[in-house]
Structure formats: structure tokens, C-alpha cells
DNA sequence: TTATAGGCTTAACTTTTTTTAACATGAGTG
DNA sequence: CACTCATGTTAAAAAAAGTTAAGCCTATAA
């Protein structure tokens, strides 16, 4: 049941990180280890994960900040915090960000596994399989092949077109935050990257206008939202 | 959000039970307290509950046995265990039965609430689609598409126009508090945002004047009120 | 190496959306 | 009734986004 679940583990303590990774792998889970928040986010934007285990205290970017960035891009992915501090305020902050669970060190690895299981039982199945075929109205989209299947024929997407469209589709009907998207795809949300993103939005709109039910709507000052009218 | 959630709390310690019940009630949750496992089960079969908080050690019927009985009837209802023992084996047994969470006493009541929230977020089917079609007199309004259907034709609304109109419609015949609205839409209720809002009210009035029965009335010093005369 | 093509960014210009300003009106208060 | 403050209204200014094309890398072919 939990097979092929890709977990992102952000943990700066190498010993603990390796230990957890080995344990979870032995239980059939696929764990990618990132040594700090920044690296974890870079990994996350690849879009291959369906579960996050985040240490709260890490160099570069702490777990809470990382979780907020992740939540901007994926409102639904389960997040479990690990922390050395048992402080009530921290826990509440973690849950406020949208955590699913909050585990205080030291803990039994079996308990971690049990909690992952408990959360996954309720989590919406994230079909982020390797070879998924996404649907945008009457147009189909294969992110892994960077391919868009239009009525008029197939269209190969560039890296950026593909990344942006993937994020839009995965957040259909929700606002894709401008800043967070820039950081996720461009690495930095400066003015020029923003203009670059606007150019890509124009390109995608042009491609998708084949189906008039599809709209990439702008939410002024916030970001973009993909909508497919019924 | 968690309003009208009926919680079954099985707890033999009367002090703690009453305390928890009072706290959760103060947060808008409806809590039924049962003093042992047997009574809890009798309550449960009434079918009115959508969340269970079960103490593990209770007379008559312990929490694990109770949970199993409950699971026979409802495979899906969230279950959170409370226990005085922190023993690893017990926790694992709890999760094996299908618990969603397992909290060891003593705990902060706020943490309990946060955990209930975290679970409910996933347990409640996500009907956030809200493709609703609202009516303002003879004019119809689709906030999801930011579209106003006038007799003279369709009108696309801007982000701010849409947000403000949505709030007005959802509070039809009630005063939409000025400050609260500013904070909700503009994030801050300073003077300039207030003037900006007045400009938008003027714009909306202009659009809606097609139907003379519609009025956006000002309540001096308080806010605005949308009224549709019969 | 130089040429070329593809992909991305930057620039330039346009349009849309939002904010600010300026002036008018109206409501509440001493 | 005079004064103040909140709101009505319109227009100008500013900011954000839409669009198209030119420029600039970089990888690959000639």
C-alpha cells in the first residue's frame, strides 16, 4: 500500500537522517534525504514527492519556512515535522502551517512509520506517478515526456513551459502563488524572472486556447490560477 | 469550519473529561462525554458522531477494544487515543487498530485541538469546488469564474471587484463591516485602502444598476449592505 | 572553429487593474 | 447651523500584467 511512496526527508543531522532513510527504505518506502531546507526545497520542486518529513531546526532554511514554501506550491501534500524541542508554541505553529503530525525527538522509528501510515490512509491519493497522463479539459499533458497532445497535433514543451504548466495543473482551481512559483522554477523571484514568467504564461495561453474552456486567470498581485470551465 | 462536529469522548477520569469537554465546547465543538467504554459504545451506535477521542485505560471496556468495536461499524471515522502510558508497544497497537493519532498524557489542550483539526482537514471530503451560481436580483454571478451575467451581456470582473461583490452577496441584507472587509480583501484597513474600497463600491453600483431592485447601501461608519428589493 | 538553432531573458510598448488625488455631497454632532 | 468626518464620484497616476520581438547564451552541427 505504501509502496512507491516517495518521501522527502529534510534532516540536517546526518546520523539520524541516514538511519531514518535506511529504516524507511527497509519498509518499502522511497526516501530522498536533503541536508538542509534550501536543498530540500530544490528537491521538492521536482514534483516527485507525495510525503514530507521535515526537521524543524535546520541551517539555511528552517522547517517551518520550508513548509510554508511547500504549501504555496502544494496545498495537499502531507507534512510531518520532527523536532528536538517539545515546546507547545512550536507545535501549534507547526499545525497552524498545515502540518499533519508533529513528532518530538527522540521517537521510535516504528512510531514514525505508524504515523506515516495513519496519515496516508486519509491523504488524497497523489497520482504523481512517474508516467502520469494529466488532463486539461480536452487536452492531455505528459509532464515526464514534456509533451502536450493537442487536437492539432503533439507539441513538445521546453523545460520552463513544462515546469510551469505542471504546477498550474497540479494546482487547478487554486492560486499558484507568484513569488513561490518563481522561487520554485527560477530560483529567485526578482523582477526580470517575473517578466520571464509572464512571457511563459502568454505562451501557455496561446497553446491552450485550442480548448476555449481552459483559462489561465490572473489574480492581481497574487499569482495565476488554472480553470477549466464545465 | 469545525462547527457542528460531533465528538464522542470516552474518558473515565471525570475531571479530565469535563475539562476537555468544556474546552472543546468553547471552541465550537459538540462533545458527548462517556464515562467508560461500554457507555461510549452505546452512544456511538446512535450514529451521530464524526470523531472519537478514546482513553485507552477505562473500566468495563478499554479503549482498544472499544476502537475495534467502532471500526466494525465505521471503518472511516477518525479515532484519536489518549493514554497515560507512553509505551511504544501500546502506541503501535493503537495505530494498528486504525488510529489517526495517539496522544500521551499530559498534553496541552490546544495541541489536542490542533491535532483534531489536522485530522479533520483530511477526513472531510474536499468540497472546495464551489462552482456556485449566485443570484443578485435578476443578475447572476459566478465568483469562481469572476463573471457577472447581465442582461446586456457578460461582464468579466477584476480580482478586487470579484472579492468585494462575493462578500456583499454572501452577506446579503447584513452589514458588511468596513474594517473587517478591508482586512479581508486588502490585508490592512488604513485610510487609502478604505478610499480604494469606496471606489470599488462605486464601480459595483454602476454595474448592478441595470436591475433597479439592487442597492448597495451605506451604513454610516459601519459598512455596506447589499439589498435586493422585492 | 564558426555557424546555427533552440531556449530563455530582456526590452519595448500596450492594456488592465489598482491606488491616489481632488473635489463634491451628505450624515452626524455640539 | 457650522463643522467635521465619512462617503460618492471621477480622473490621473502608478503598478502589474499582456504581448511581441529582439538579443543573448549555450549546445550541437558543419
Amino acid at each position: 500500500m505504501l509502496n512507491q511512496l516517495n518521501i522527502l526527508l529534510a534532516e540536517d543531522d546526518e546520523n539520524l537522517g541516514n538511519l531514518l532513510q535506511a529504516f524507511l527504505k527497509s519498509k518499502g518506502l522511497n526516501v530522498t534525504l536533503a541536508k538542509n531546507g534550501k536543498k530540500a526545497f530544490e528537491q521538492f520542486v521536482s514534483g516527485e514527492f507525495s510525503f514530507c518529513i521535515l526537521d524543524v531546526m535546520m541551517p539555511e532554511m528552517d522547517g517551518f519556512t520550508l513548509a510554508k514554501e511547500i504549501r504555496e506550491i502544494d496545498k495537499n501534500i502531507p507534512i510531518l515535522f520532527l523536532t528536538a524541542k517539545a515546546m507547545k508554541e512550536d507545535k501549534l505553529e507547526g499545525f497552524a502551517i498545515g502540518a499533519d503530525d508533529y513528532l518530538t525527538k527522540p521517537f521510535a522509528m516504528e512510531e514514525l512509520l505508524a504515523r506515516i501510515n495513519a496519515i496516508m490512509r486519509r491523504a488524497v491519493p497523489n497520482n504523481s506517478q512517474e508516467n502520469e497522463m494529466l488532463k486539461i479539459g480536452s487536452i492531455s499533458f505528459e509532464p515526464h515526456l514534456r509533451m502536450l497532445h493537442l487536437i492539432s497535433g503533439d507539441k513538445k514543451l521546453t523545460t520552463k513551459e513544462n515546469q510551469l504548466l505542471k504546477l498550474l495543473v497540479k494546482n487547478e482551481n487554486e492560486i499558484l502563488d507568484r513569488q513561490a512559483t518563481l522561487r520554485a522554477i527560477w530560483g529567485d523571484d526578482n523582477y526580470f524572472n517575473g517578466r520571464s514568467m509572464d512571457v511563459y504564461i502568454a505562451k501557455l495561453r496561446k497553446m491552450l486556447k485550442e480548448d476555449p474552456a481552459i483559462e489561465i486567470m490572473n489574480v492581481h498581485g497574487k499569482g495565476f490560477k488554472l480553470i477549466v470551465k464545465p
Side-chain angles (χ1 to χ4, degrees), chain A:
Chain A
M1 169 210 175
L2 281 184
N3 289 341
Q4 288 154 320
L5 176 66
N6 288 319
I7 298 183
L8 175 61
L9 169 60
E11 170 62 67
D12 64 313
D13 177 342
E14 266 196 55
N15 283 329
L16 180 59
N18 289 328
L19 206 65
L20 287 177
Q21 186 178 39
F23 172 74
L24 294 173
K25 279 204 167 158
S26 79
K27 299 297 181 182
L29 305 180
N30 210 341
V31 179
T32 301
L33 180 58
K35 281 179 287 291
N36 65 55
K38 217 166 175 179
K39 289 194 175 164
F41 187 69
E42 284 162 18
Q43 289 281 344
F44 176 77
V45 296
S46 73
E48 58 187 300
F49 299 103
S50 10
F51 199 103
C52 298
I53 302 175
L54 313 181
D55 189 8
V56 174
M57 282 184 294
M58 285 186 294
E60 299 288 340
M61 186 194 281
D62 72 284
F64 286 161
T65 309
L66 173 59
K68 282 179 203 155
E69 298 265 317
I70 288 175
R71 272 275 171 275
E72 296 280 355
I73 295 174
D74 190 328
K75 305 251 180 304
N76 237 354
I77 192 166
I79 295 179
L80 185 155
F81 283 115
L82 298 181
T83 183
K85 301 187 290 184
M87 284 174 60
K88 178 175 131 186
E89 290 73 25
D90 284 343
K91 280 194 190 176
L92 294 179
E93 185 182 348
F95 281 113
I97 291 170
D100 288 89
D101 209 336
Y102 197 104
L103 204 44
T104 306
K105 302 176 194 174
F107 53 85
M109 292 196 288
E110 288 90 350
E111 180 177 352
L112 174 62
L113 180 64
R115 289 184 179 273
I116 293 172
N117 268 290
I119 295 165
M120 285 312 291
R121 202 156 25 82
R122 298 214 180 270
V124 258
N126 176 9
N127 325 313
S128 77
Q129 303 140 21
E130 199 60 21
N131 298 342
E132 61 188 327
M133 171 82 88
L134 299 173
K135 270 283 175 189
I136 316 165
S138 60
I139 296 171
S140 51
F141 170 39
E142 289 180 286
H144 68 291
L145 296 177
R146 302 200 330 211
M147 190 68 88
L148 211 52
H149 302 289
L150 305 161
I151 304 165
S152 53
D154 289 357
K155 174 110 182 68
K156 234 183 130 39
L157 300 178
T158 71
T159 310
K160 288 274 194 292
E161 289 165 353
N162 191 63
Q163 285 177 287
L164 186 52
L165 185 56
K166 189 157 100 183
L167 280 187
L168 282 166
V169 172
K170 295 223 167 193
N171 289 279
E172 187 175 333
N173 294 318
E174 302 203 51
I175 296 173
L176 190 58
D177 184 84
R178 195 179 167 88
Q179 323 260 66
T181 305
L182 283 168
R183 284 192 293 268
I185 299 182
W186 276 265
D188 184 8
D189 63 348
N190 65 39
Y191 172 80
F192 290 108
N193 287 339
R195 296 318 332 261
S196 198
M197 174 162 135
D198 290 331
V199 172
Y200 278 94
I201 290 288
K203 287 183 183 178
L204 291 177
R205 281 186 178 134
K206 205 171 275 179
M207 292 178 206
L208 298 174
K209 74 162 182 281
E210 184 179 271
D211 182 346
I214 303 173
E215 186 182 352
I216 299 177
M217 169 186 286
N218 172 255
V219 181
H220 197 98
K222 289 269 179 286
F224 295 95
K225 182 152 94 168
L226 177 69
I227 290 179
V228 180
K229 282 161 266 184

